[in-house]
Amino acid sequence: LYEQADRFYNVPAPGVPAAPQGKQETQGQVALDYLVKTAPLHTPEWAAWQSREQVGHLEGRWLVTARALGQGRFVGEMVIEPGAAPDEFRTSVTLRSLKDGSTLKRSGAGILYTGYSWRGRSIGQAPAAMHPDNVSTEAREVLWFSPDQATAQGRWFWGAYQEFGFDVKLTRVSGGPVVAAVDPYGLKAGTQGIQLRILGANFPASMQANDLHLGTGVTVNRIVSQNADELVADVDVAPDAASGMRDVQLEGAALEKGFVVYHRIDYLKVIPDATVARLGSATHPKGYQQFAAIGYENGPDGKSTDAVRIGPVEATWQLNEFITSYNDDDTKFVGSLSPTALFTPAADGPDPARRFGRNNYGEVWVTATAKDGKDQFGKPLTARAYLVVAVPMYLRWDQPEVSEVAQPEVSEPGSQSGAAQSGSSQSGSSQ
């Protein structure tokens, strides 16, 4: 790097006076001095980590909790097996949707760098359909493993612009019980007879109601059913229960902030609140955007500064004009919004149906209207997000150190997973 910098920038640096011997410092030397100062090869932090670095021992069963915008929550397990080298692994994943009960299976492989940084790929058993948000699509995996190698968190993602994916948390399953998730996530104060599902692993047999603790104001009436991985409890929420997050505790296990208690939905937020989608065609892929409406309850002070996040709410969706110039009619040309808030951009232009034959770019509001929830004036709760629909990203730089190099190969489900191999990407090549 230093040699290349000096080669390409071996010209006098503007504004830098000449050295005492009369030779002016070059641009390359200025850059090198800056790199040495701000990004040195050896740092106290790196030295401290090297003394603690260890080989990853990830083999075994891991609980998985995942969220995909527009798809809901998933719970399941990942089985990690050793690969061809100490830092290479094969994976098989089974996830169950808490939204509709469907099952998703994925298989893949990964590499653990420096004892904590996971880079991998996986693919679902079912062939990826034409829908861009298909959760069986081949995905790249980026995870951070904790120093004790008991938990991990990160993202599995796909899409031409990496816009789809799961936010993932892994918890190692050892000898004791583990609590992974609670369904439903939001419990309204004053509700009785709620069938609360608690999902995890290694739950004790023959649990009683007094063995499960859900926080002040939430009463466990009885255990409806149970097995090693799932517990169903009949619970009541007191009318005066305080709004906020609740922990789940049972014999030898706990889940912090496992669910939320709320009294009402005071307002909505649309996420992401400001973002970019991209037009596409046969030669340039489209950049999609998935939105969701999140409900909130105002905090004790009646304001949103300490609001309680309730979670996704059912809503209807539409595009509204963001006026930047008269008669541009962006909502008619930029794309369409599905009932589940997936924005599909239009084809790139020029579009003869549009005024002046312009491209289909533009700016719009993405508006959500709650199906169940009204404001203080009796009107349905609404919220909106700002969306820019831009032209395709015509030039994209592929950096092998963060993309294809040393990424593991993923075989089709049903065949033996390939070992991790080095890719063949070229730095600076356009895609």
Tab-separated table of all heavy atoms in Angstrom, residues 311-353:
chain	number	residue	atom	x	y	z
A	311	GLY	N	-44.026	-2.296	18.774
A	311	GLY	CA	-43.683	-3.224	17.703
A	311	GLY	C	-44.538	-3.016	16.476
A	311	GLY	O	-45.359	-2.090	16.408
A	312	PRO	N	-44.369	-3.863	15.450
A	312	PRO	CA	-45.113	-3.704	14.194
A	312	PRO	C	-46.620	-3.790	14.412
A	312	PRO	O	-47.105	-4.574	15.225
A	312	PRO	CB	-44.612	-4.867	13.337
A	312	PRO	CG	-43.285	-5.231	13.913
A	312	PRO	CD	-43.402	-4.973	15.383
A	313	VAL	N	-47.359	-2.956	13.683
A	313	VAL	CA	-48.816	-2.962	13.724
A	313	VAL	C	-49.350	-3.135	12.310
A	313	VAL	O	-48.697	-2.776	11.322
A	313	VAL	CB	-49.367	-1.662	14.346
A	313	VAL	CG1	-48.870	-1.476	15.767
A	313	VAL	CG2	-48.991	-0.451	13.503
A	314	GLU	N	-50.564	-3.694	12.205
A	314	GLU	CA	-51.209	-3.863	10.912
A	314	GLU	C	-51.617	-2.502	10.362
A	314	GLU	O	-52.158	-1.663	11.082
A	314	GLU	CB	-52.428	-4.768	11.045
A	314	GLU	CG	-52.091	-6.203	11.416
A	314	GLU	CD	-51.379	-6.930	10.277
A	314	GLU	OE1	-51.664	-6.616	9.104
A	314	GLU	OE2	-50.536	-7.798	10.559
A	315	ALA	N	-51.348	-2.285	9.069
A	315	ALA	CA	-51.629	-0.995	8.468
A	315	ALA	C	-51.950	-1.163	6.989
A	315	ALA	O	-51.599	-2.175	6.369
A	315	ALA	CB	-50.441	-0.042	8.646
A	316	THR	N	-52.631	-0.168	6.442
A	316	THR	CA	-52.797	-0.066	4.998
A	316	THR	C	-51.772	0.928	4.478
A	316	THR	O	-51.353	1.839	5.202
A	316	THR	CB	-54.213	0.391	4.632
A	316	THR	OG1	-54.480	1.665	5.268
A	316	THR	CG2	-55.243	-0.630	5.103
A	317	TRP	N	-51.396	0.781	3.197
A	317	TRP	CA	-50.268	1.536	2.665
A	317	TRP	C	-50.638	2.224	1.355
A	317	TRP	O	-51.429	1.698	0.575
A	317	TRP	CB	-49.070	0.600	2.432
A	317	TRP	CG	-48.551	-0.012	3.681
A	317	TRP	CD1	-48.981	-1.162	4.281
A	317	TRP	CD2	-47.525	0.517	4.515
A	317	TRP	NE1	-48.281	-1.404	5.432
A	317	TRP	CE2	-47.374	-0.384	5.603
A	317	TRP	CE3	-46.705	1.630	4.464
A	317	TRP	CZ2	-46.435	-0.189	6.611
A	317	TRP	CZ3	-45.769	1.832	5.470
A	317	TRP	CH2	-45.644	0.929	6.523
A	318	GLN	N	-50.027	3.384	1.131
A	318	GLN	CA	-50.201	4.079	-0.132
A	318	GLN	C	-49.037	5.031	-0.369
A	318	GLN	O	-48.316	5.404	0.573
A	318	GLN	CB	-51.517	4.856	-0.160
A	318	GLN	CG	-51.597	5.989	0.839
A	318	GLN	CD	-52.915	6.736	0.749
A	318	GLN	OE1	-53.820	6.339	0.025
A	318	GLN	NE2	-53.030	7.837	1.477
A	319	LEU	N	-48.866	5.411	-1.631
A	319	LEU	CA	-47.866	6.401	-2.019
A	319	LEU	C	-48.552	7.752	-2.175
A	319	LEU	O	-49.641	7.848	-2.755
A	319	LEU	CB	-47.203	6.018	-3.343
A	319	LEU	CG	-46.361	4.745	-3.364
A	319	LEU	CD1	-45.809	4.510	-4.776
A	319	LEU	CD2	-45.222	4.813	-2.360
A	320	ASN	N	-47.919	8.800	-1.652
A	320	ASN	CA	-48.418	10.156	-1.807
A	320	ASN	C	-47.345	11.029	-2.424
A	320	ASN	O	-46.145	10.780	-2.269
A	320	ASN	CB	-48.855	10.731	-0.463
A	320	ASN	CG	-50.026	9.983	0.147
A	320	ASN	OD1	-49.897	9.354	1.193
A	320	ASN	ND2	-51.180	10.021	-0.503
A	321	GLU	N	-47.796	12.051	-3.105
A	321	GLU	CA	-46.885	12.932	-3.814
A	321	GLU	C	-46.032	13.756	-2.848
A	321	GLU	O	-46.531	14.309	-1.866
A	321	GLU	CB	-47.670	13.875	-4.718
A	321	GLU	CG	-46.836	14.564	-5.767
A	321	GLU	CD	-46.425	13.631	-6.885
A	321	GLU	OE1	-47.143	12.652	-7.150
A	321	GLU	OE2	-45.370	13.893	-7.506
A	322	PHE	N	-44.740	13.773	-3.108
A	322	PHE	CA	-43.824	14.689	-2.424
A	322	PHE	C	-43.535	15.792	-3.440
A	322	PHE	O	-42.833	15.570	-4.437
A	322	PHE	CB	-42.546	13.971	-2.012
A	322	PHE	CG	-41.581	14.837	-1.247
A	322	PHE	CD1	-41.584	14.845	0.136
A	322	PHE	CD2	-40.673	15.659	-1.910
A	322	PHE	CE1	-40.693	15.640	0.849
A	322	PHE	CE2	-39.787	16.459	-1.207
A	322	PHE	CZ	-39.799	16.451	0.174
A	323	ILE	N	-44.071	16.950	-3.204
A	323	ILE	CA	-44.067	17.989	-4.227
A	323	ILE	C	-42.717	18.691	-4.264
A	323	ILE	O	-42.324	19.377	-3.310
A	323	ILE	CB	-45.194	19.003	-3.978
A	323	ILE	CG1	-46.543	18.293	-4.013
A	323	ILE	CG2	-45.137	20.128	-5.013
A	323	ILE	CD1	-47.726	19.188	-3.685
A	324	THR	N	-42.012	18.502	-5.369
A	324	THR	CA	-40.766	19.234	-5.608
A	324	THR	C	-40.893	20.125	-6.842
A	324	THR	O	-40.203	21.127	-6.942
A	324	THR	CB	-39.594	18.260	-5.815
A	324	THR	OG1	-39.944	17.312	-6.824
A	324	THR	CG2	-39.275	17.531	-4.525
A	325	SER	N	-41.748	19.727	-7.777
A	325	SER	CA	-42.048	20.554	-8.942
A	325	SER	C	-43.467	20.232	-9.393
A	325	SER	O	-43.974	19.126	-9.148
A	325	SER	CB	-41.053	20.297	-10.085
A	325	SER	OG	-41.115	18.939	-10.495
A	326	TYR	N	-44.097	21.166	-10.052
A	326	TYR	CA	-45.484	20.982	-10.451
A	326	TYR	C	-45.602	19.986	-11.600
A	326	TYR	O	-44.745	19.925	-12.500
A	326	TYR	CB	-46.095	22.326	-10.872
A	326	TYR	CG	-46.247	23.297	-9.724
A	326	TYR	CD1	-45.455	24.429	-9.637
A	326	TYR	CD2	-47.178	23.069	-8.720
A	326	TYR	CE1	-45.588	25.330	-8.582
A	326	TYR	CE2	-47.324	23.951	-7.659
A	326	TYR	CZ	-46.531	25.071	-7.591
A	326	TYR	OH	-46.659	25.940	-6.543
A	327	ASN	N	-46.674	19.189	-11.539
A	327	ASN	CA	-47.039	18.273	-12.620
A	327	ASN	C	-45.996	17.193	-12.900
A	327	ASN	O	-45.919	16.687	-14.025
A	327	ASN	CB	-47.301	19.056	-13.917
A	327	ASN	CG	-48.412	20.073	-13.765
A	327	ASN	OD1	-49.438	19.784	-13.145
A	327	ASN	ND2	-48.205	21.272	-14.323
A	328	ASP	N	-45.199	16.816	-11.900
A	328	ASP	CA	-44.262	15.726	-12.143
A	328	ASP	C	-44.926	14.365	-11.932
A	328	ASP	O	-44.468	13.358	-12.479
A	328	ASP	CB	-43.005	15.860	-11.284
A	328	ASP	CG	-43.317	15.922	-9.795
A	328	ASP	OD1	-44.500	15.805	-9.417
A	328	ASP	OD2	-42.373	16.097	-9.009
A	329	ASP	N	-45.997	14.298	-11.117
A	329	ASP	CA	-46.790	13.069	-10.951
A	329	ASP	C	-45.920	11.861	-10.636
A	329	ASP	O	-46.052	10.794	-11.243
A	329	ASP	CB	-47.631	12.788	-12.204
A	329	ASP	CG	-48.663	13.873	-12.477
A	329	ASP	OD1	-49.190	14.430	-11.493
A	329	ASP	OD2	-48.939	14.149	-13.651
A	330	ASP	N	-45.057	11.992	-9.646
A	330	ASP	CA	-44.123	10.918	-9.323
A	330	ASP	C	-44.831	9.626	-8.924
A	330	ASP	O	-44.369	8.529	-9.241
A	330	ASP	CB	-43.186	11.357	-8.192
A	330	ASP	CG	-42.156	12.370	-8.667
A	330	ASP	OD1	-41.897	12.421	-9.875
A	330	ASP	OD2	-41.625	13.106	-7.816
A	331	THR	N	-45.950	9.733	-8.196
A	331	THR	CA	-46.619	8.521	-7.717
A	331	THR	C	-47.101	7.633	-8.859
A	331	THR	O	-47.309	6.432	-8.653
A	331	THR	CB	-47.820	8.886	-6.826
A	331	THR	OG1	-48.722	9.732	-7.557
A	331	THR	CG2	-47.360	9.602	-5.570
A	332	LYS	N	-47.294	8.191	-10.045
A	332	LYS	CA	-47.770	7.402	-11.186
A	332	LYS	C	-46.647	6.662	-11.901
A	332	LYS	O	-46.915	5.750	-12.682
A	332	LYS	CB	-48.477	8.314	-12.193
A	332	LYS	CG	-49.716	9.004	-11.657
A	332	LYS	CD	-50.345	9.889	-12.728
A	332	LYS	CE	-51.584	10.601	-12.201
A	332	LYS	NZ	-52.194	11.489	-13.242
A	333	PHE	N	-45.387	7.037	-11.639
A	333	PHE	CA	-44.302	6.523	-12.468
A	333	PHE	C	-43.185	5.835	-11.701
A	333	PHE	O	-42.474	5.011	-12.269
A	333	PHE	CB	-43.705	7.671	-13.301
A	333	PHE	CG	-44.676	8.300	-14.255
A	333	PHE	CD1	-45.300	9.494	-13.939
A	333	PHE	CD2	-44.979	7.679	-15.453
A	333	PHE	CE1	-46.199	10.076	-14.819
A	333	PHE	CE2	-45.872	8.252	-16.336
A	333	PHE	CZ	-46.491	9.447	-16.027
A	334	VAL	N	-42.986	6.164	-10.418
A	334	VAL	CA	-41.783	5.670	-9.734
A	334	VAL	C	-41.855	4.186	-9.392
A	334	VAL	O	-40.833	3.522	-9.247
A	334	VAL	CB	-41.500	6.476	-8.454
A	334	VAL	CG1	-41.175	7.924	-8.781
A	334	VAL	CG2	-42.673	6.381	-7.486
A	335	GLY	N	-43.057	3.633	-9.213
A	335	GLY	CA	-43.173	2.226	-8.848
A	335	GLY	C	-44.457	1.972	-8.093
A	335	GLY	O	-45.370	2.812	-8.067
A	336	SER	N	-44.536	0.807	-7.443
A	336	SER	CA	-45.759	0.401	-6.756
A	336	SER	C	-45.433	-0.098	-5.353
A	336	SER	O	-44.334	-0.571	-5.080
A	336	SER	CB	-46.480	-0.700	-7.542
A	336	SER	OG	-45.651	-1.837	-7.676
A	337	LEU	N	-46.438	-0.009	-4.475
A	337	LEU	CA	-46.312	-0.423	-3.091
A	337	LEU	C	-47.321	-1.537	-2.828
A	337	LEU	O	-48.521	-1.366	-3.053
A	337	LEU	CB	-46.574	0.767	-2.161
A	337	LEU	CG	-46.200	0.629	-0.696
A	337	LEU	CD1	-44.700	0.455	-0.536
A	337	LEU	CD2	-46.674	1.851	0.085
A	338	SER	N	-46.841	-2.685	-2.352
A	338	SER	CA	-47.714	-3.835	-2.117
A	338	SER	C	-48.491	-3.657	-0.811
A	338	SER	O	-48.153	-2.802	0.015
A	338	SER	CB	-46.885	-5.114	-2.050
A	338	SER	OG	-46.213	-5.210	-0.809
A	339	PRO	N	-49.538	-4.481	-0.573
A	339	PRO	CA	-50.268	-4.413	0.703
A	339	PRO	C	-49.400	-4.698	1.916
A	339	PRO	O	-49.745	-4.318	3.031
A	339	PRO	CB	-51.355	-5.480	0.532
A	339	PRO	CG	-51.563	-5.597	-0.944
A	339	PRO	CD	-50.209	-5.382	-1.535
A	340	THR	N	-48.259	-5.375	1.707
A	340	THR	CA	-47.339	-5.656	2.813
A	340	THR	C	-46.180	-4.666	2.861
A	340	THR	O	-45.172	-4.913	3.505
A	340	THR	CB	-46.788	-7.078	2.706
A	340	THR	OG1	-46.137	-7.246	1.427
A	340	THR	CG2	-47.915	-8.100	2.820
A	341	ALA	N	-46.308	-3.536	2.149
A	341	ALA	CA	-45.352	-2.424	2.200
A	341	ALA	C	-44.024	-2.727	1.529
A	341	ALA	O	-42.995	-2.168	1.909
A	341	ALA	CB	-45.114	-1.960	3.628
A	342	LEU	N	-44.014	-3.601	0.529
A	342	LEU	CA	-42.817	-3.801	-0.284
A	342	LEU	C	-42.909	-2.888	-1.494
A	342	LEU	O	-43.828	-3.008	-2.311
A	342	LEU	CB	-42.694	-5.253	-0.733
A	342	LEU	CG	-41.553	-5.546	-1.718
A	342	LEU	CD1	-40.194	-5.268	-1.078
A	342	LEU	CD2	-41.622	-6.987	-2.219
A	343	PHE	N	-41.944	-1.985	-1.615
A	343	PHE	CA	-41.922	-1.070	-2.752
A	343	PHE	C	-41.113	-1.689	-3.881
A	343	PHE	O	-39.943	-2.052	-3.712
A	343	PHE	CB	-41.308	0.280	-2.373
A	343	PHE	CG	-41.211	1.229	-3.539
A	343	PHE	CD1	-42.330	1.906	-3.988
A	343	PHE	CD2	-40.005	1.413	-4.205
A	343	PHE	CE1	-42.251	2.766	-5.078
A	343	PHE	CE2	-39.913	2.270	-5.291
A	343	PHE	CZ	-41.049	2.951	-5.724
A	344	THR	N	-41.766	-1.805	-5.059
A	344	THR	CA	-41.112	-2.321	-6.262
A	344	THR	C	-40.932	-1.172	-7.231
A	344	THR	O	-41.914	-0.606	-7.730
A	344	THR	CB	-41.949	-3.422	-6.921
A	344	THR	OG1	-42.139	-4.495	-5.990
A	344	THR	CG2	-41.264	-3.952	-8.169
A	345	PRO	N	-39.702	-0.760	-7.525
A	345	PRO	CA	-39.489	0.387	-8.420
A	345	PRO	C	-39.851	0.050	-9.858
A	345	PRO	O	-39.866	-1.112	-10.268
A	345	PRO	CB	-37.991	0.671	-8.265
A	345	PRO	CG	-37.406	-0.640	-7.837
A	345	PRO	CD	-38.447	-1.328	-7.018
A	346	ALA	N	-40.135	1.068	-10.620
A	346	ALA	CA	-40.448	0.907	-12.035
A	346	ALA	C	-39.180	0.663	-12.832
A	346	ALA	O	-38.060	0.700	-12.308
A	346	ALA	CB	-41.174	2.151	-12.537
A	347	ALA	N	-39.372	0.402	-14.125
A	347	ALA	CA	-38.227	0.266	-15.020
A	347	ALA	C	-37.613	1.637	-15.277
A	347	ALA	O	-38.298	2.668	-15.227
A	347	ALA	CB	-38.659	-0.373	-16.329
A	348	ASP	N	-36.303	1.637	-15.538
A	348	ASP	CA	-35.687	2.915	-15.853
A	348	ASP	C	-36.135	3.354	-17.253
A	348	ASP	O	-36.604	2.566	-18.055
A	348	ASP	CB	-34.169	2.848	-15.736
A	348	ASP	CG	-33.567	1.695	-16.506
A	348	ASP	OD1	-34.322	0.995	-17.191
A	348	ASP	OD2	-32.345	1.479	-16.417
A	349	GLY	N	-35.991	4.615	-17.518
A	349	GLY	CA	-36.526	5.201	-18.744
A	349	GLY	C	-35.479	5.395	-19.831
A	349	GLY	O	-34.483	4.668	-19.846
A	350	PRO	N	-35.716	6.368	-20.693
A	350	PRO	CA	-36.792	7.362	-20.630
A	350	PRO	C	-38.163	6.746	-20.869
A	350	PRO	O	-38.303	5.739	-21.553
A	350	PRO	CB	-36.427	8.356	-21.734
A	350	PRO	CG	-35.572	7.566	-22.683
A	350	PRO	CD	-34.821	6.586	-21.847
A	351	ASP	N	-39.191	7.348	-20.240
A	351	ASP	CA	-40.551	6.844	-20.299
A	351	ASP	C	-41.369	7.757	-21.205
A	351	ASP	O	-41.632	8.916	-20.864
A	351	ASP	CB	-41.150	6.824	-18.892
A	351	ASP	CG	-42.500	6.130	-18.849
A	351	ASP	OD1	-43.112	5.962	-19.911
A	351	ASP	OD2	-42.933	5.756	-17.735
A	352	PRO	N	-41.813	7.270	-22.388
A	352	PRO	CA	-42.578	8.130	-23.303
A	352	PRO	C	-43.913	8.576	-22.737
A	352	PRO	O	-44.490	9.566	-23.211
A	352	PRO	CB	-42.758	7.239	-24.542
A	352	PRO	CG	-42.585	5.843	-24.049
A	352	PRO	CD	-41.601	5.927	-22.938
A	353	ALA	N	-44.442	7.845	-21.731
A	353	ALA	CA	-45.723	8.225	-21.143
A	353	ALA	C	-45.584	9.381	-20.167
A	353	ALA	O	-46.592	9.952	-19.746
A	353	ALA	CB	-46.344	7.021	-20.439
